[in-house]
Each structure stands twice: as structure tokens, then as C-alpha cells.
């Protein structure tokens, strides 16, 4: 049967008159209904592991705005949690994990095949969503890319420059590479399980890819993405993959071709003109409105949204932000963005 969901049509390379639209972190703290469900769950991780409430928050932005895709509500750090690295969130500060910096720390981690019991509630959420979503809305599963997840596991927290991970890469390359390999294998297992229970597309978030330069980018961002994508394609032919090597700059060029990704998600440090010429030539692109427009709104939001739609209109394009929407965003500005994308 020919694909009818707009998001999947764009991912298969079709140029649509109106790009499908969804938004990174579309279920999040800028929405009052999210804050209410999060309060009911207690804390963020309890919300991730409560399938009923995670299903509910995933559906909230679909009900409010009618996006073309829903993204599973979970977090990239659930993989380290499932591998046995303790994870907790400090309110107002972000994630904390037990650190992996020695062979002894690494030896305590579980194997890539042993993550599924811990992640069963996440698979239940995917399965709930597969039956609950309106028929034109696509369901996106996701995972963090190995490098980005490793930066949190090595430092035990978020870092500005990923210094501890770069240091381990230099000082104990075999250990660093063993961690990247364990995460690569776990990510294949995790994404594959999401697809088996109903994810129609998966996205790989490499939020800190931009801090890898030259050969390090090729070894630790590009190569793991290539391995994950080729394995997913072998196991689940026809399921599209979106890759997000955030702030990759020139390394966005050829990334889809090299890795086999069906779409490259763009952050807003690259111009739509540059990306249309250098990246969209190879297939679908996603992005790339600055998320600050969701805070400031007004004519600038309308102008920049039109500019992005116009610039990408001659090829396959999924409209999105360049990074996640922030908690201080105004929900009315999201509606204005959607109306502007769909006005033509
Ligand atoms: O996009 C979506 O709506 C799907 C759900 C999703 C979340 N996190 C929910 C979340 C996705 C895809 C992620 C990915 C994620 N998580 C990334 C990669 C994408 C990116 O933003 O760069 C990263 C680096 C993380 C790790 C993470 N999770 C951090 C650093 C934090 C704390 C910072 C913050 O925004 O508070 C989180 C928490 C988090 N993940 C929230 C949400 C909705 C906020 C938690 C809350 O409700 O308090």
C-alpha cells in the first residue's frame, strides 16, 4: 500500500506541497498539561517509566496542535540506567549518573542484550501509542547516539565542552572505545525493540556531535551511526531513520549517504540556503527554526518560518526546530509557527 502519512512520505524522499511538522521536546514543561501530569508522576524518571502517564504526555501536543508525528516520551539516558549506571535528575540542574572512568566501572555494566527487562515500560508506551494515535500521525522512536550518551556516563552529568569524555578518549582509548561499542550494541537492541512494538521511524540524537572534530567525528559519530543504521535496516527493512549530528557543520555534508540515514536533522547554526545546497541534495532534511522564536514570537517568527519553508520547498523536508523547545516558550507561538507552515 502506498504510504499516506505525510511524515513517512517525506522520509521516503517525496517533496510535499506542505512539509510535515513536529517539534523536538514537543511534550514538555512549556505545556501546562505536561506540568500537571509530571506533578502526578512525582519526578521525571517516574514519568518516563510509567507507561500510562508517558503515553498521556506524548499525546498532549498531538491533541493540542495536530502535529504530523508523535515522539515517544522517554530520555536518552534510560540506556545507561538499563545498563546499570545509576541515574537520577536534580531539579533545576539536570541529570546525574555514576561515572564510568575505569575498567572496574565498565565491568559492572550489563550486556547489550540484558537491557530489555528494565526497558519493558518504554516498550509498553510505544505499544500503547501505536494503537492510540490518529491514523495520519506517525510514531517516532528514538535513542541517544553512543558519543552523546557516553559524554554523560563518563562525566556523571551534563558538561559544556564534554571535557571528561575527550580526556578519556585520549588517556584510555581502549576503555573509551569499549564504552562506545557497548552503547552501539545497546542502541541497536533498544531501537529494534521499539520498532517491533510499533515505532514507524527512529531518530538518533547526537546532541554533542559538534564537539568531535576531524577523525574523531568519523570514528565516534559517523561510524557508530553507520553501524546502528545498517543493522536496523537489515532487521527492519523499510523503517526510516533520522540522524541528528547536532552542530556537525561541514560534517553534515554526505552524512546521510555515508550512514544510510533517510533524513538528516539540522540545528540552526547552518543556514537553510547552505543546507538546501549541500545536504538536501542527498535527500530529506529536518529543521531548523531557532527554538528562541518559540519564546519571542511575533513577525520575526512568521518571517523566519516562511523563509525556511521556502528555502527547502524544492526537496523533501520535515519542518522542526533546530533543537528542543525550552520551558519558557509560549504555547501560542507554537500555534503561530504551525499556522504559518500550513498557510500556503
Ligand atoms: O522530544 C521529545 O519530546 C521526546 C522526549 C525527549 C526528552 N529528552 C524528554 C525530556 C527526548 C527525545 C529527549 C532527548 C534528550 N535527553 C537529549 C537529546 C536531545 C537534546 O535535547 O539535545 C539529551 C541530551 C537528554 C538528556 C537530558 N534529559 C537532559 C540534559 C535533561 C535535563 C535538561 C532539561 O531540559 O531539564 C533531560 C530532561 C528531560 N528530558 C526533560 C524532558 C521533557 C525535562 C524533564 C522535566 O520534566 O523536568
Amino acid at each position: 500500500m502506498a504510504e499516506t502519512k505525510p511524515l513517512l512520505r517525506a522520509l521516503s524522499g517525496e517533496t510535499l506541497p506542505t512539509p510535515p511538522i513536529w517539534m523536538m521536546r514537543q511534550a514538555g514543561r512549556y505545556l501546562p498539561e505536561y506540568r500537571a501530569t509530571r506533578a502526578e508522576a512525582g519526578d521525571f524518571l517516574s514519568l518516563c517509566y510509567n507507561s500510562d502517564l508517558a503515553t498521556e504526555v506524548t499525546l498532549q501536543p498531538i491533541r493540542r496542535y495536530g502535529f504530523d508525528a508523535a515522539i515517544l516520551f522517554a530520555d536518552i539516558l534510560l540506556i545507561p540506567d538499563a545498563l546499570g549506571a545509576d541515574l537520577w535528575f536534580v531539579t533545576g540542574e539536570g541529570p546525574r549518573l555514576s561515572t564510568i572512568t575505569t575498567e572496574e566501572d565498565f565491568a559492572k555494566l550489563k550486556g547489550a542484550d540484558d537491557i530489555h527487562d528494565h526497558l519493558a515500560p518504554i516498550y509498553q508506551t510505544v505499544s500503547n501509542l501505536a494503537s492510540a494515535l490518529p491514523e495520519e500521525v506517525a510514531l517516532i522512536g528514538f535513542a541517544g547516539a553512543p558519543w552523546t550518551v557516553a559524554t554523560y556516563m563518563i562525566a556523571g552529568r551534563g558538561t559544556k565542552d564534554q571535557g571528561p569524555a575527550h580526556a578519556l578518549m585520549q588517556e584510555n582509548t581502549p576503555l573509551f572505545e569499549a564504552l562506545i561499542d557497548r552503547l552501539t550494541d545497546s542502541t541497536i537492541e533498544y531501537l529494534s525493540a521499539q520498532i517491533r512494538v510499533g515505532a514507524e521511524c527512529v531518530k538518533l540524537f547526537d546532541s554533542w556531535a559538534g564537539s568531535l572534530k576531524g577523525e574523531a567525528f568519523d570514528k565516534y559519530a559517523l561510524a557508530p551511526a553507520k553501524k546502528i543504521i545498517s543493522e536496523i535496516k537489515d532487521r527492519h527493512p523499510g523503517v526510516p531513520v533520522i540522524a541528528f549530528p547536532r552542530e556537525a557543520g561541514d560534517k553534515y555534508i554526505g552524512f546521510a549517504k555515508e550512514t544510510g540515514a533517510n533524513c538528516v536533522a539540522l540545528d540552526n547554526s547552518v543556514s537553510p540556503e547552505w543546507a538546501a545546497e549541500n545536504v538536501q541534495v542527498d535527500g530529506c532534511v529536518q529543521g531548523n527554526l531557532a527554538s528562541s522564536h518559540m519564546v519571542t514570537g511575533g513577525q520575526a517568527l512568521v518571517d523566519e518560518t516562511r523563509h525556511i519553508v521556502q528555502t527547502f520547498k524544492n526537496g523533501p523536508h520535515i519542518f522542526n526546530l533546530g533543537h528542543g523547545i525550552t520551558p519558557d516558550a509560549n504555547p501560542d507561538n507554537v500555534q503561530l509557527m504551525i499556522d504559518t507552515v500550513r498557510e500556503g
Side-chain angles (χ1 to χ4, degrees), residues 31 33 66 110 115 123 138 188 214 246 255 257 260 265 268 283 315 323:
L31 287 179
E33 57 269 37
K110 291 187 191 156
I115 59 174
Y123 306 148
I188 292 165
R246 191 170 75 91
F255 196 87
K257 259 192 180 154
N268 50 273
H323 199 192

Side-chain angles (χ1 to χ4, degrees), residues 22-29 34 38 44 47 71-77 89 93-95 142 148 152 158 205 207-208 244 246 323-324 327:
W22 70 281
M23 198 172 66
M24 282 185 269
R25 293 274 172 102
Q26 62 191 21
R29 285 165 291 182
Y34 171 87
R38 168 115 146 45
F44 172 65
L47 177 54
I71 183 162
L72 161 70
F73 188 85
D75 197 84
I76 64 163
L77 300 178
F89 280 79
E93 291 186 33
F142 75 91
T148 288
Y152 290 92
F205 284 86
S207 305
W208 300 118
F244 184 33
R246 191 170 75 91
H323 199 192

Side-chain angles (χ1 to χ4, degrees), residues 218-263:
D218 297 343
K219 277 162 85 174
Y220 306 127
L222 194 115
K226 185 173 178 167
K227 181 167 179 201
I228 291 164
I229 294 168
S230 83
E231 191 65 32
I232 292 295
K233 300 265 167 196
D234 276 359
R235 294 189 194 184
H236 311 279
V239 174
V241 182
I242 304 173
F244 184 33
R246 191 170 75 91
E247 295 193 351
D250 284 352
K251 295 283 198 181
Y252 275 127
I253 301 172
F255 196 87
K257 259 192 180 154
E258 283 279 327
T259 61
N262 301 76
C263 174

Side-chain angles (χ1 to χ4, degrees), residues 26-225:
Q26 62 191 21
R29 285 165 291 182
Y30 74 105
L31 287 179
E33 57 269 37
Y34 171 87
R35 295 196 297 270
T37 311
R38 168 115 146 45
E40 192 185 331
D43 59 32
F44 172 65
L45 274 184
S46 307
L47 177 54
C48 291
Y49 289 120
N50 181 322
S51 311
D52 290 338
L53 296 183
T55 302
E56 166 57 23
V57 294
T58 307
L59 294 172
Q60 286 169 350
I62 306 302
R63 282 189 209 116
R64 186 190 266 254
Y65 297 115
F67 283 116
D68 292 293
I71 183 162
L72 161 70
F73 188 85
D75 197 84
I76 64 163
L77 300 178
L78 302 186
I79 283 276
D81 203 27
L83 287 170
D86 289 339
L87 170 68
W88 67 103
F89 280 79
V90 180
T91 310
E93 291 186 33
R96 294 288 183 276
L97 304 92
S98 47
T99 57
I100 308 290
T101 55
T102 65
E103 277 76 8
E104 293 71 43
D105 299 332
F106 182 75
K108 290 187 200 135
L109 295 179
K110 291 187 191 156
D113 293 325
D114 301 327
I115 59 174
H116 295 302
D117 285 351
H118 185 94
L119 295 168
I122 310 308
Y123 306 148
Q124 183 62 50
T125 307
V126 175
S127 164
N128 293 350
L129 288 165
S131 40
L133 282 170
E135 64 179 57
E136 69 283 3
V137 179
L139 177 56
I140 305 172
F142 75 91
W147 160 248
T148 288
V149 175
T151 66
Y152 290 92
M153 293 180 82
I154 294 164
R157 58 190 299 159
T159 48
K160 271 208 155 52
D161 58 1
Q162 296 73 58
H166 284 286
L168 189 71
M169 185 197 298
Q170 300 301 324
E171 288 157 15
N172 191 344
T173 310
L175 176 63
F176 173 81
E177 292 187 344
L179 181 59
I180 293 287
D181 287 348
R182 179 69 52 86
L183 288 168
T184 301
D185 294 342
S186 308
T187 303
I188 292 165
E189 283 299 312
Y190 183 44
L191 291 176
S192 195
Q194 293 179 32
I195 293 167
R196 282 198 298 272
V197 292
E200 298 169 288
C201 154
V202 291
K203 179 168 175 186
L204 198 56
F205 284 86
D206 210 348
S207 305
W208 300 118
S211 84
L212 293 169
K213 305 293 176 202
E215 197 194 340
F217 182 95
D218 297 343
K219 277 162 85 174
Y220 306 127
L222 194 115

